[in-house]
Amino acid sequence: MITSDDGLNIIKEFEQLRLKAYIPAPGDVPTIGWGTTAGVKMGDTIDLKTADQYLRRDVHSCEDAVSLACGELLTQSQFDACVSLTYNIGGGAFRQSTLVKKIKSHDPLAADEFLRWDKFQGVPLAGLTRRRKKERELFLKLPVSAPLSALQDSSV
């Protein structure tokens, strides 16, 4: 499975494009583009094309982590929400999370686990709270189904 536009849009909305390396929060690591941290150092600059390439690379890594952990159990919206979370917290944290355990056990309250990931260094951050609520909402989104008219017998 690959991330849909819904998942990418959440990532882009909350990561925000930055073409010059910056520190998102005190004590955090240098970040650039759409939230890329791998190999970034202060003073780095990139262009939009490079930011998008980094995003695709980083999302692909997150897709692999989610797929390996529980991908076959997820709808597209659930997969997208999990990829967005993984993009922010990392593959290792996602794989070890209670969210994954609850998904695997078919726990109907699994979506509530998103809300637990709203802290940085133990302190709740409003931006993370907003992001987790959006990811939870996406996780709970019902799959698109065929319209009722398509299900009716056309010979009647």
Side-chain angles (χ1 to χ4, degrees):
M1 196 175 296
I2 61 169
T3 308
S4 76
D5 288 343
D6 287 344
L8 290 174
N9 288 339
I10 287 179
I11 293 169
K12 285 183 170 184
E13 175 183 346
F14 287 98
E15 294 296 341
Q16 300 179 2
L17 178 62
R18 302 279 184 100
L19 300 178
K20 183 176 179 183
Y22 71 106
I23 303 289
D28 209 343
V29 297
T31 304
I32 202 164
W34 296 106
T36 295
T37 58
V40 178
K41 54 191 177 317
M42 292 307 294
D44 287 353
T45 59
I46 59 174
D47 58 18
L48 177 59
K49 181 179 177 182
T50 303
D52 287 343
Q53 289 171 342
Y54 288 172
L55 174 65
R56 281 191 295 278
R57 177 199 65 199
D58 295 346
V59 165
H60 181 69
S61 174
C62 295
E63 290 168 343
D64 287 347
V66 172
S67 292
L68 287 171
C70 55
E72 71 283 353
L73 302 171
L74 301 173
T75 66
Q76 182 67 56
S77 294
Q78 291 170 336
F79 183 81
D80 291 344
C82 289
V83 168
S84 178
L85 175 68
T86 303
Y87 194 90
N88 190 234
I89 68 171
F94 176 76
R95 286 188 300 273
Q96 299 299 316
S97 71
T98 303
L99 173 61
V100 169
K101 291 176 182 81
K102 288 188 174 192
I103 289 169
K104 287 182 173 182
S105 69
H106 304 282
D107 187 325
L109 300 177
D112 293 341
E113 291 301 310
F114 282 90
L115 305 177
R116 297 181 65 202
W117 291 91
D118 70 340
K119 297 169 188 65
F120 178 73
Q121 296 182 345
V123 178
L125 297 179
L128 287 178
T129 300
R130 285 191 308 277
R131 181 176 185 160
R132 298 294 104 88
K133 286 180 180 179
K134 248 192 163 163
E135 290 165 344
R136 180 183 181 277
E137 181 181 305
L138 181 58
F139 188 88
L140 291 171
K141 182 179 173 183
L142 295 176
V144 176
S145 60
L148 183 57
S149 61
L151 301 174
Q152 295 173 339
D153 184 358
S154 60
S155 64
V156 175

